[in-house]
Amino acid sequence: MPILTFVARSSDGLLLTASMEVAGAPGQNFDSYKQQAKMILGKLNARSPKKCSFESGDYTFHYIIDDGVCYMTLCERGYDKRLSFGFLEDIKRAFVEELRADHGPDYRSTVDTVSHPYAFIKFDKIIQRKRRDYQNPNSSKNMQRLNSELADITNIMRMNIEEVLSRGERLEQVGSGSRDLLRKSKAFEKNAKMLNFWKLVQKYM
């Protein structure tokens, strides 16, 4: 299930709101994961991957970036990634609806100009309600979500959190590397098709 949830401004990592209630195992301390989340959010910029997953111990961070806002959650590693990203998409839609209701169509300027963290902390109530919807991955509602594939998880970067934090690897470099790998794979596929084509030509000539 989603254990921790953060909503932050992607340009500088300023926390706009976060889940105040921890949904993990009783007595387990998640302070280190909160610190890891803040460090990741602080590394984001315009060139960061729009969807990404980071493994950390028995847990995995997932995030999406949309319209200058990053939505991040921490889930158990075995929790279905489609549900994780479906949860984030639901949080995104609810957050935008809440901002529009409170600040009108110009809500984006409010996000861009807010100067203090947790300016939208009242949104935590909605986060907790959404989290309960995703608490049981085997519920009929979540099985329907999986069957309809609400979240597209193709081309999502997967890394180990220790690699990013201990080596100081920049997220934009991760995004650049993934794009370069995709470009090379497409070129390889094109060359393979051309090679097969010329083999056919030679065969029939």
Side-chain angles (χ1 to χ4, degrees):
M1 74 178 82
I3 298 170
L4 300 172
T5 305
F6 307 87
V7 179
R9 194 163 56 196
S10 60
S11 60
D12 57 3
L14 179 73
L15 281 171
L16 304 174
T17 186
S19 56
M20 294 294 100
E21 177 186 339
V22 178
Q28 188 163 353
N29 191 335
F30 285 91
D31 288 345
S32 63
Y33 290 99
K34 293 178 183 178
Q35 293 301 317
Q36 289 176 6
K38 291 177 181 179
M39 293 178 69
I40 295 171
L41 293 169
K43 293 176 179 289
L44 297 176
N45 59 45
R47 291 175 291 179
S48 299
K50 299 303 180 185
K51 285 185 177 182
C52 201
S53 295
F54 296 93
E55 294 182 352
S56 179
D58 296 329
Y59 301 91
T60 303
F61 285 102
H62 308 280
Y63 79 69
I64 59 175
I65 299 175
D66 185 71
D67 200 20
V69 178
C70 178
Y71 306 86
M72 175 184 287
T73 188
L74 177 74
C75 300
E76 294 176 346
R77 185 181 287 194
Y79 190 76
D80 196 293
K81 288 181 174 57
R82 289 172 294 176
L83 289 179
S84 300
F85 284 102
F87 169 74
L88 291 176
E89 291 288 346
D90 274 1
I91 293 296
K92 180 188 74 174
R93 283 190 291 268
F95 186 66
V96 171
E97 289 174 3
E98 184 85 358
L99 288 179
R100 282 177 175 162
D102 290 346
H103 304 282
D106 193 30
Y107 69 91
R108 281 295 295 118
S109 63
T110 305
V111 173
D112 293 336
T113 57
V114 66
S115 58
H116 60 281
Y118 303 103
F120 308 101
I121 193 59
K122 70 174 186 175
F123 186 72
D124 174 48
K125 294 181 180 179
I126 298 178
I127 292 177
Q128 298 304 331
R129 187 168 67 247
K130 294 289 184 181
R131 182 186 61 78
R132 287 191 290 270
D133 290 343
Y134 284 82
Q135 186 171 3
N136 180 8
N138 297 318
S139 68
S140 58
K141 192 172 183 179
N142 283 329
M143 292 305 294
Q144 290 176 1
R145 288 188 175 103
L146 289 175
N147 291 333
S148 59
E149 296 182 353
L150 289 179
D152 177 13
I153 60 169
T154 58
N155 297 326
I156 293 173
M157 289 297 300
R158 285 188 60 194
M159 293 191 66
N160 188 290
I161 191 72
E162 286 80 7
E163 294 179 9
V164 177
L165 298 182
S166 63
R167 300 180 186 178
E169 187 165 2
R170 298 167 63 90
L171 285 177
E172 65 266 24
Q173 293 175 339
V174 175
S176 176
S178 65
R179 288 190 293 271
D180 184 57
L181 181 61
L182 180 61
R183 186 167 55 250
K184 290 180 179 179
S185 65
K186 287 183 177 179
F188 178 81
E189 182 181 5
K190 181 179 179 180
N191 291 336
K193 288 181 179 178
M194 288 297 297
L195 181 61
N196 289 333
F197 171 76
W198 284 113
K199 285 183 176 179
L200 287 174
V201 172
Q202 292 175 353
K203 177 180 178 180
Y204 289 105
M205 288 180 60

